[in-house]
Amino acid sequence: MPTPDKAAAVAELTDKFRSSNAAVLTEYRGLTVAQLKQLRRSLGENSEYAVVKNTLTKIAANEAGIDTLDDLFTGPTAVAFVTGDPVVSAKGLRDFAKDNPNLVIKGGVLDGKALSADEIKKLADLESREVLLSKLAGAFKGKQSQAAQLFQALPSKFVRTAEALRVKQAEQGGAE
């Protein structure tokens, strides 16, 4: 029979899994408290990094409908719960792991889909959502200005063609 503390911990973790659009599992063995504090800062303000108990977290993940992470709950485990842009958090984890090889990215889940450690590193190589949206907006703006130029060119070309036709008819009429 679970104790009230364990039941509360499972409920809290279940809520975190449900409210997060991504979760990344890591092994933190060998990291100091200062390094963990630095890691939490590098993940951004839309992420929460928590050292967790494997059994309780596995139960919470299953209650949240995530059963693809079961194999990753071995050894000392910490979870980065991401509520914002997952690319920012993935970059923070990747960059921190480069400087601190004791941090090992085990895998994770993004919008209910399981991710391997390599897929998380590929996610970190993407540009952030804001950059991608601004590039898309720039592309739309460029296409709109091209369309505007085309629509302005049609009437002026028509006027030039009509004027050339009028001049030609005037020349032919004057030649007869």
Side-chain angles (χ1 to χ4, degrees):
M1 181 168 196
T3 65
D5 290 342
K6 288 182 181 179
V10 169
E12 182 182 348
L13 288 169
T14 302
D15 287 343
K16 286 182 183 180
F17 275 113
R18 286 183 179 149
S19 64
S20 301
N21 56 355
V24 180
L25 276 68
T26 64
E27 182 174 320
Y28 63 93
R29 186 186 331 243
L31 293 177
T32 66
V33 173
Q35 288 172 324
L36 287 173
K37 188 175 181 181
Q38 179 186 0
L39 172 60
R40 285 183 174 100
R41 272 192 245 118
S42 70
L43 291 178
E45 44 187 68
N46 293 326
S47 297
E48 180 182 341
Y49 189 74
V51 174
V52 295
K53 292 197 176 286
N54 288 333
T55 305
L56 299 179
T57 309
K58 185 176 179 179
I59 292 168
N62 288 330
E63 286 183 8
I66 302 168
D67 58 358
T68 55
L69 301 176
D70 289 353
D71 298 339
L72 303 178
F73 291 113
T74 58
T77 303
V79 182
F81 294 101
V82 183
T83 55
D85 188 1
V87 174
V88 174
S89 298
K91 283 181 183 191
L93 285 168
R94 179 199 60 194
D95 295 344
F96 188 85
K98 282 181 186 176
D99 297 335
N100 301 284
N102 287 335
L103 180 74
V104 178
I105 298 172
K106 295 179 178 183
V109 63
L110 174 63
D111 294 328
K113 182 189 175 292
L115 297 176
S116 68
D118 289 335
E119 289 172 324
I120 292 170
K121 290 174 185 169
K122 287 179 185 175
L123 181 66
D125 292 336
L126 292 176
E127 292 176 330
S128 70
R129 183 175 189 271
E130 289 78 20
V131 171
L132 292 175
L133 287 175
S134 66
K135 284 184 176 183
L136 182 63
F140 281 143
K141 184 178 178 185
K143 293 298 179 189
Q144 287 176 340
S145 65
Q146 287 176 347
Q149 290 171 355
L150 176 67
F151 292 139
Q152 288 175 345
L154 290 175
S156 63
K157 185 174 183 180
F158 175 74
V159 169
R160 287 194 305 272
T161 304
E163 181 62 22
L165 183 60
R166 186 190 63 74
V167 169
K168 186 175 180 181
Q169 285 177 346
E171 288 175 358
Q172 287 178 350
E176 290 177 18

